[in-house]
Every structure is written in C-alpha cells, then in structure tokens.
Amino acid sequence: MNVEFINPFLSSLLNVLSTMAQTELKPGKPKIKKDEVACGDVSGLIGMVGPQTKGSFSITFDESLALTIMERMLGERPDSINEEVTDMVGEITNMVTGGAKNLLGEKGYDFDMATPIVVSGKGHTITHKSEGAKILIPFTSDAGNANIEVSFDKI
C-alpha cells in the first residue's frame, strides 16, 4: 500500500488528539496485520468509497487511554467503557477520517465516508471490507496505547 494513503490518517490522529484532548501519541513501527482481533478494548471502524478505491480505517484504544481522553475532553472520567465513551470513539474516528479525507483530497483522491461503527470488549474483532493489506500502526502515550489500521483496495 502507498504510504501516501497512510500518512494522512497518522497526522490527522495526532492532530485530533493533541488539539481535542491534550494527548500526545508516539507512533511506533508500522506492520502488516494478519488477523482480525483488535489490539485494544474499544475500536471505531469507518468505511470509505471513492472513484479510485475503497477502504477502511479503524482506531483502537486501550481502556485506560479511552477513559483519559474522555476526561481530558469532557472533564469527567467514567469507571469503564460506557455509551458515552463509545460515542466519543465514534466521533474521534469521524474527525480523524475527515482530516485524512481533506489531506487526501489535496492530492486528488476523493472518497465518501460511511457512519463509523464502534465495537468494544476484550478480544473483539475488526473486519475491513477491502481487498488490500491491513497496515497497523501502534501508538504509545502516557495513558495507554492506541492502534490504527488502514486498508485500501489496490490503487
């Protein structure tokens, strides 16, 4: 997969979380993901379709990081992942994908975004609907880990 498609999601995520939740993430080394098991406790998944390609993006948070982001954004920290936390993860998924869509649009790639789906629980799975490789990028922070996955059909 072309790195031109991955970097907009990475930079959009870093921007959204630093701006909205005063949370700095440190990216790790990208790798190809072979299975569908999520690397965390709560995930947002969104599909994208455009004239050139189709694909999907997901972000998965450790529970500790999701709760910290909630606290930093809204001033309250739930005891565990609840409906408000899953709503927030859906919104973050939307904001990150929207930011990436703008960056990709500047390079001539256009796509429409679906409504995000949020899944939570230990060992939950994420199913990407595209034929391309799933690229996983891990992130670390002071409050826990996050992982993004990006998958596009061949361009």
Side-chain angles (χ1 to χ4, degrees), residues 26-45:
K26 183 177 176 222
K29 186 176 187 267
K31 61 184 176 193
I32 303 280
K33 186 171 181 220
K34 301 288 189 195
D35 63 12
E36 295 186 341
V37 178
C39 302
D41 302 311
V42 58
S43 299
L45 172 68

Side-chain angles (χ1 to χ4, degrees), residues 4-155:
E4 202 172 79
F5 272 81
I6 306 223
N7 286 339
F9 291 94
L10 192 144
S11 56
S12 183
L13 172 65
L14 296 176
N15 178 47
V16 166
L17 287 185
S18 66
T19 306
M20 304 295 293
Q22 299 74 51
T23 300
E24 299 301 322
L25 295 181
K26 183 177 176 222
K29 186 176 187 267
K31 61 184 176 193
I32 303 280
K33 186 171 181 220
K34 301 288 189 195
D35 63 12
E36 295 186 341
V37 178
C39 302
D41 302 311
V42 58
S43 299
L45 172 68
I46 192 164
M48 299 163 279
V49 177
Q52 298 103 329
T53 187
K54 72 177 170 85
S56 54
F57 164 78
S58 71
I59 179 159
T60 303
F61 296 101
D62 286 351
E63 181 175 24
S64 60
L65 179 55
L67 298 179
T68 298
I69 291 169
M70 181 83 169
E71 182 177 25
R72 290 175 181 170
M73 285 177 75
L74 301 176
E76 57 186 63
R77 183 184 183 94
D79 294 328
S80 60
I81 294 170
N82 61 19
E83 188 177 340
E84 277 123 6
V85 175
T86 58
D87 285 350
M88 176 199 71
V89 169
E91 269 311 305
I92 290 171
T93 305
N94 245 346
M95 288 188 280
V96 170
T97 307
K101 177 180 175 165
N102 290 340
L103 294 170
L104 286 166
E106 292 168 7
K107 297 178 181 183
Y109 297 106
D110 187 34
F111 58 83
D112 292 321
M113 299 166 22
T115 302
I117 298 164
V118 179
V119 187
S120 64
K122 304 279 183 211
H124 69 273
T125 59
I126 302 169
T127 304
H128 292 274
K129 301 293 186 199
S130 67
E131 304 296 318
K134 294 179 284 207
I135 308 297
L136 179 129
I137 304 168
F139 293 84
T140 55
S141 78
D142 60 348
N145 299 323
N147 292 276
I148 64 172
E149 297 175 24
V150 182
S151 180
F152 278 97
D153 285 350
K154 303 273 188 261
I155 308 275

